């Protein structure tokens, strides 16, 4: 019976997955193969002539201090942004999951940042923290006497793109955490209350292990999104400056490919970035995945 059913609907299954296969092939597989091909060539700015150089682009890249500085900066940026976005979303989800007045309103407001693009998040925080007209920078200077001038200060600019990116990821993480917390068995928490467990103990010993699969999933997704999708924040705010303080690898790749028109060199960067992120993901699955508790 199952064999007859499979034969009858086999072509329907192929038809249903065909759009996904076409999209993945067109926008992922083919560009990846093209980038790998171009990484072995040096091209003219308009691409009308190509010279085969073998692995020269990779050698230049791996011996470039500018690239290693950009990669190090990207790693620090990703680690801090992922930590802030996940931890803040978890804290807010735990607070709003309790029976408090106006919890539904708070939940709706906390989800809103996910509706904005990274570029729009950059615009919002750029205006709020502008050293001349930004209302938040005004109050920061008024309270702390510290001038948060991200236009001239590399450190301030780096902090700003972290804040903007973390805020943009907040809604995404909050949705998953609030859904996970609502699936935690209340009987387990009631039993812990009877045993006299403190709120922190209940969270760390019961709640957090039960939502660890969602936390692990968000760790992977946040790492990928921060690495690849935060280009918009940097582009609208700092363009890699000041003094290359925010020149993360994705923006450097864009600058080399579309501003300097070094397509072969930029293609080599994209291949190395792909391999690097894949290695990070594998490490996360191997070490962080071992700590995940599946029911």
């Amino acid at each position: 019976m199952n064999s007859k059913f499979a034969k009858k609907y086999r072509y329907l299954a192929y038809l249903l997955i065909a759009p996904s296969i076409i999209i993945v092939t067109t926008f992922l597989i083919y560009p990846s193969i093209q980038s790998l091909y171009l990484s072995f060539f040096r091209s003219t700015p308009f691409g009308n002539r190509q010279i085969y150089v073998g692995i020269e682009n990779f050698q230049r890249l791996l011996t470039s201090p500018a690239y290693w500085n950009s990669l190090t900066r990207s790693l620090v940026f990703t680690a801090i942004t992922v930590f802030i976005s996940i931890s803040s979303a978890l804290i807010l989800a735990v607070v709003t999951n309790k029976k408090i007045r106006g919890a539904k309103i708070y939940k709706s407001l906390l989800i809103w940042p996910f509706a904005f693009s990274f570029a729009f998040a950059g615009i919002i925080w750029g205006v709020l923290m502008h050293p001349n007209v930004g209302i938040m920078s005004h109050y920061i200077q008024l309270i702390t006497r510290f001038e948060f001038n991200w236009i001239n200060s590399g450190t301030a600019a780096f902090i700003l793109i972290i804040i903007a990116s973390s805020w943009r990821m907040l809604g995404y993480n909050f949705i998953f955490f609030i859904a996970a917390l609502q699936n935690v068995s209340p009987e387990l928490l009631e039993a812990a209350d009877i045993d006299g467990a403190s709120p922190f103990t209940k969270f760390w010993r019961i709640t957090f292990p039960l939502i660890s699969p969602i936390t692990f999933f968000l760790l992977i997704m946040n790492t990928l999104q921060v690495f690849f999708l935060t280009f918009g924040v940097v582009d609208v705010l700092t363009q890699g400056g000041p003094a290359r303080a925010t020149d993360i690898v994705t923006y450097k790749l864009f600058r080399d490919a579309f501003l300097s028109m070094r397509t072969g060199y930029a293609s080599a960067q994209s291949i190395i970035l792909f391999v690097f992120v894949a290695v990070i993901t594998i490490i996360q699955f191997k070490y962080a995945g071992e700590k995940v508790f599946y029911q």
Side-chain angles (χ1 to χ4, degrees):
M1 185 67 183
N2 291 333
S3 177
K4 292 181 179 180
F5 181 85
K7 290 180 179 179
K8 183 178 180 180
Y9 291 100
R10 180 176 58 185
Y11 296 107
L12 176 61
Y14 291 150
L15 182 64
L16 291 174
I17 66 173
S20 298
I21 294 175
I22 293 172
I23 292 173
V24 170
T25 303
T26 304
F27 296 103
L28 181 62
I29 296 177
Y30 175 75
S32 299
I33 295 174
Q34 187 71 7
S35 294
L36 181 61
Y37 172 79
L38 289 174
S39 66
F40 296 109
F41 291 85
R42 184 185 301 150
S43 304
T44 57
F46 296 100
N48 54 358
R49 185 185 176 192
Q50 294 179 339
I51 302 173
Y52 178 76
V53 295
I55 62 172
E56 180 184 321
N57 288 322
F58 292 96
Q59 290 175 335
R60 290 174 55 205
L61 191 61
L62 295 176
T63 56
S64 170
Y67 181 74
W68 285 109
N69 289 336
S70 178
L71 183 59
T72 303
R73 201 171 290 114
S74 298
L75 287 173
V76 174
F77 167 69
T78 301
I80 297 175
T81 302
V82 169
F83 174 77
I84 292 176
S85 61
I86 290 180
S87 58
S88 59
L90 179 57
I91 292 170
L92 291 170
V94 170
V95 172
T96 55
N97 191 50
K98 298 182 181 296
K99 294 180 180 180
I100 58 175
R101 188 174 182 180
K104 292 183 179 180
I105 298 175
Y106 300 144
K107 291 176 184 178
S108 300
L109 292 176
L110 289 169
I111 291 172
W112 277 7
F114 183 50
F116 303 131
S117 66
F118 278 97
F120 193 68
I123 293 173
I124 291 174
W125 281 95
V127 173
L128 289 174
M129 301 295 288
H130 195 279
N132 296 326
V133 298
I135 185 170
M136 290 189 68
S137 64
H138 169 72
Y139 282 112
I140 289 173
Q141 185 174 4
L142 189 66
I143 296 171
T144 65
R145 302 297 180 184
F146 173 73
E147 184 180 359
F148 191 85
N149 190 346
W150 57 268
I151 295 178
N152 296 326
S153 170
T155 302
F158 193 74
I159 293 173
L160 181 61
I161 65 171
I162 289 175
I163 293 173
S165 301
S166 301
W167 178 80
R168 165 55 179 75
M169 295 298 300
L170 178 66
Y172 177 83
N173 297 330
F174 180 79
I175 292 172
F176 282 95
F177 276 133
I178 201 70
L181 289 171
Q182 290 176 353
N183 287 324
V184 174
S185 174
E187 288 80 7
L188 292 175
L189 300 177
E190 290 174 2
D193 284 331
I194 295 173
D195 291 338
S198 65
F200 178 78
T201 302
K202 287 194 299 180
F203 173 78
W204 191 248
R205 296 293 185 180
I206 299 175
T207 304
F208 189 73
L210 291 175
I211 65 172
S212 59
I214 292 296
T215 306
F216 178 63
F217 166 78
L218 290 176
L219 176 63
I220 301 296
M221 296 305 298
N222 276 246
T223 301
L224 295 175
Q225 291 194 46
V226 171
F227 246 106
F228 291 108
L229 300 183
T230 50
F231 165 84
V233 174
V234 177
D235 188 46
V236 301
L237 282 177
T238 63
Q239 291 81 48
R244 303 296 178 208
T246 58
D247 193 24
I248 59 176
V249 286
T250 49
Y251 194 80
K252 177 175 171 53
L253 193 156
F254 162 77
R255 192 159 39 80
D256 289 335
F258 299 103
L259 300 182
S260 301
M261 302 302 291
R262 296 187 293 174
T263 54
Y265 190 64
S267 296
Q269 291 184 54
S270 67
I271 298 301
I272 291 179
L273 179 61
F274 174 80
V275 173
F276 187 76
V277 174
V279 170
I280 290 178
T281 305
I282 292 171
I283 292 173
Q284 288 177 330
F285 268 100
K286 179 173 177 58
Y287 293 102
E290 292 177 353
K291 305 296 183 181
V292 176
F293 171 77
Y294 293 99
Q295 299 183 51

